[in-house]
Amino acid sequence: MVSHTDIDASELHAFLSSQKTILVDVRNDDEVARGVIEGAMHLPMAVIPHMGKLLCEHNETALIFYCHSGIRSAQAAAFIASMDRDNVYNLRGGILAWANAGYTFVLKAG
C-alpha cells in the first residue's frame, strides 16, 4: 500500500526551492485569510475527496499538503496516497511549524 511521507519545515523549504511541487493548503477560508505559504493552492479539506482524481495526476510531481497543525493535512495526504498516488507529503506540524522555523507567508491571491 502506498503511503504519504511526513516532512518538516526545512524539508518543505528545500522541496520548494529545488524541485517542482504542488503545495496544497487544506485550511478553512478564515485561516488562509491570515496568510499562506507562497505558491500554495487553497483546497479546503471538504473538497479533497472530490478533487482526488485531479490530485492524482502528475504523479512524478511532489504533492505536499499542509494545514494549521498537520492533522487535517495528514488525513488529506493519506487519502490521496490511498489512491495509489506517489510522491505525497504532509508538512508535520503544519503552518505553525513553518512559522516557528522562521519562514514567511504571503496573502492569499484573489
Side-chain angles (χ1 to χ4, degrees):
M1 174 162 178
V2 178
S3 65
H4 71 279
T5 302
D6 284 338
I7 59 173
D8 64 24
S10 63
E11 290 171 306
L12 174 56
H13 189 263
F15 262 103
L16 296 175
S17 61
S18 67
Q19 61 183 297
K20 185 172 173 144
T21 61
I22 300 169
L23 183 60
V24 180
D25 186 325
V26 299
R27 296 176 301 154
N28 298 327
D29 290 340
D30 61 322
E31 294 173 293
V32 299
R34 292 178 239 152
V36 298
I37 298 173
E38 187 170 6
M41 79 171 68
H42 177 222
L43 294 175
M45 187 68 177
V47 305
I48 297 298
H50 307 290
M51 300 292 289
K53 188 173 180 181
L54 181 64
L55 290 170
C56 286
E57 294 178 1
H58 309 291
N59 205 28
E60 69 287 348
T61 303
L63 177 62
I64 306 168
F65 292 95
Y66 75 91
C67 64
H68 183 72
S69 65
I71 305 296
R72 288 172 286 176
S73 54
Q75 293 171 338
F79 175 78
I80 297 301
S82 76
M83 298 176 74
D84 291 327
R85 175 39 156 108
D86 293 324
N87 297 321
V88 180
Y89 300 88
N90 171 55
L91 175 58
R92 184 183 319 108
I95 204 160
L96 291 175
W98 181 260
N100 287 337
Y103 298 117
T104 60
F105 308 94
V106 296
L107 291 179
K108 180 184 169 194

